[in-house]
Amino acid sequence: VLDAIIGRFSKHPLAAMKPLTRMALRLGICQLLLFDRVPPSAAVNETVAAVKKMRQPQWLVSFTNGVLRAVARSGRQVLLDIIKDLPDHEAANMPAWLFERWLARYGRQATLALCRAADQPPPLTLRVNPLRSTPKALLAAMEQAGIEARPGHYAPQAVLLPSFQGPVSSLPGYGEGLFLVQDEAAQLVSLLVTPLRRAGRYLDGCAGLGGKTSHLAALLPEKAALVAVEPHAGRLQKLRENLERLGLGGRVEIVASELAGLSSRAGLFDAILIDAPCSGLGVIRRHPDSRWTRSPEDLRRYRATQLGLLSQAAALLAAGGVLVYATCSIEPEENDSVVAAFLEEHKNFNKTDCGTFLPAAARSLVDADGFLRTLPGRDELDGFFAARLQKT
């Protein structure tokens, strides 16, 4: 949409425009037409000043100034005119391939709702650390600090801060490890690993930054063991930092390797969580550029990785054990299709109904196949999928 507006007011072809100039014009137009609190004069002047600061030639400075002033004179009507004439997927700010597949699967109204959700910043959601606080106590601390807060919709430890925009580290209780930032849908995934039993052995096979690892660690019964596998050095460091801040470092054995490098000789696990690498098309609102960097080929590529991880996990799971598979994608190739292919190859696994292991409020999020399935933006949730499989 922004490029279409540039094209309407510029005699210089977009394809021949310097990337720096194009980006400056996009930012300026965005401020002019979408930011209510930025005066038009400030949007123009600041953008032109930025172009000067980048040491662009004078003719480009003048060009930027001229285009932005023309857009400012036209006001928001030009935005409405442009959107009216755009193809549906462009008006919805979504690549055609993704828009069309959602349209076929969900219908027009739901697809447009998904597109709108992708362009809205998500509310900040916290998961209370039950070893150090309670939702009631954290809500009271937020109220005392003048921060709008309310309980989550589905997850028992969730607290929503719908209007907070500052650094998370400035929130009451951050330094004391009273909470971790985590979407409610992700919190529900961890609950599918439960019930955790005394002296049980548990594995987070794709630990990442530690959101679900720390959740499981907080729920860990006496004498139970939790192993977290993470090969990436940067994520590994953040995982350790999060666990230490929450006071959970001593509850988790961290293994710096791929899941394939974990040997079953140390003993099999009673439950394994595979929060698999995926396209992330359920969390576009957190990573807005991902819609443009993903392609249908990526879905097939991720699917192969996901099936490989599930097969590796199956070999590490004890008889009667539980394997939870999750993605932050809403695409069937990474979700239903992966589970179906895995079950076809592993006849000694059965699906179990996710709803049995979730709070009553969250059971409406479980479909007829027993899968946990959330859509982005609906009830302020991210888009997630999870299946709970049991080894016979």
Side-chain angles (χ1 to χ4, degrees):
V1 173
L2 295 176
D3 284 352
I5 294 172
I6 294 171
R8 176 169 292 194
F9 290 95
S10 169
K11 295 179 181 179
H12 194 61
L14 276 172
M17 197 174 292
K18 293 177 68 174
L20 212 57
T21 307
R22 192 169 177 177
M23 186 55 69
L25 287 171
R26 286 171 176 167
L27 290 171
I29 292 171
C30 187
Q31 292 178 78
L32 282 169
L33 302 182
L34 301 176
F35 292 2
D36 293 329
R37 298 182 182 180
V38 180
S41 58
V44 174
N45 294 338
E46 290 300 317
T47 306
V48 171
V51 174
K52 288 180 181 177
K53 191 173 182 179
M54 292 183 286
R55 299 182 179 179
Q56 298 303 294
Q58 183 56 45
W59 74 270
L60 270 181
V61 174
S62 300
F63 169 78
T64 302
N65 182 62
V67 170
L68 292 180
R69 291 194 179 281
V71 173
R73 285 193 296 271
S74 297
R76 288 191 174 177
Q77 186 58 45
V78 66
L79 182 65
L80 299 175
D81 292 343
I82 290 286
I83 290 175
K84 181 181 65 177
D85 296 335
L86 286 175
D88 283 350
H89 71 277
E90 290 188 17
N93 194 28
M94 203 60 64
W97 72 271
L98 190 54
F99 185 87
E100 292 300 327
R101 68 165 27 227
W102 286 355
L103 197 62
R105 194 155 77 242
Y106 300 117
R108 182 175 179 80
Q109 185 175 353
T111 295
L112 292 177
L114 285 173
C115 294
R116 285 193 297 271
D119 286 334
Q120 297 297 317
L124 183 64
T125 307
L126 312 179
R127 192 194 75 240
V128 177
N129 179 1
L131 301 183
R132 294 188 171 178
S133 188
T134 64
K136 183 178 180 180
L138 191 63
L139 285 166
M142 296 299 169
E143 182 181 359
Q144 189 173 4
I147 298 169
E148 181 187 3
R150 50 186 168 81
H153 299 285
Y154 300 106
Q157 300 296 328
V159 170
L160 299 179
L161 308 184
S163 58
F164 182 78
Q165 296 182 352
V168 173
S169 58
S170 69
L171 287 171
Y174 175 85
E176 294 80 12
L178 303 190
F179 62 83
L180 187 81
V181 174
Q182 189 179 44
D183 185 78
E184 273 197 88
Q187 296 181 38
L188 293 174
V189 168
S190 303
L191 297 179
L192 296 177
V193 182
T194 61
L196 305 180
R197 64 178 181 83
R198 178 185 168 91
R201 297 190 75 239
Y202 303 98
L203 171 65
D204 186 345
C206 305
L209 304 182
K212 298 177 184 65
T213 306
S214 61
H215 196 177
L216 294 175
L219 299 173
L220 209 62
E222 187 181 356
K223 296 186 179 180
L226 175 61
V227 176
V229 173
E230 176 51 54
H232 187 273
R235 289 193 290 266
L236 199 66
Q237 178 62 29
K238 193 65 178 174
L239 167 64
R240 289 194 173 100
E241 290 173 2
N242 281 329
L243 290 173
E244 289 302 320
R245 184 176 62 82
L246 296 169
L248 300 169
R251 291 182 169 225
V252 183
E253 178 189 348
I254 298 175
V255 179
S257 79
E258 301 280 353
L259 182 61
L262 202 63
S263 173
S264 62
R265 288 176 295 180
L268 298 176
F269 294 92
D270 296 294
I272 299 175
L273 171 62
I274 299 296
D275 183 17
C278 67
S279 66
L281 291 174
V283 291
I284 293 177
R285 61 184 186 167
R286 298 187 186 277
H287 308 282
D289 61 323
S290 64
R291 75 191 83 187
W292 309 114
T293 58
R294 296 288 184 258
S295 69
E297 291 72 29
D298 289 324
L299 303 182
R300 291 186 283 273
R301 177 171 58 84
Y302 279 115
R303 183 178 185 274
T305 300
Q306 292 151 358
L307 277 170
L309 287 167
L310 282 178
S311 294
Q312 292 160 19
L316 298 169
L317 192 65
V322 170
L323 176 55
V324 174
Y325 171 71
T327 71
C328 55
S329 171
I330 58 174
E331 302 311 311
E333 292 92 332
E334 302 181 89
N335 297 334
D336 314 63
S337 176
V338 168
V339 172
F342 173 79
L343 292 175
E344 182 63 31
E345 293 177 9
H346 298 79
K347 301 294 188 181
N348 59 333
F349 277 82
N350 294 320
K351 289 186 296 184
T352 59
D353 188 344
C354 289
T356 306
F357 305 92
L358 293 175
R363 289 171 192 161
S364 62
L365 304 174
V366 177
D367 67 13
D369 292 316
F371 299 141
L372 171 66
R373 198 186 302 271
T374 62
L375 288 176
R378 189 170 297 177
D379 293 331
E380 301 175 296
L381 298 173
D382 281 341
F384 259 84
F385 171 90
R388 192 179 190 275
L389 312 172
Q390 189 157 25
K391 191 173 186 178
T392 60

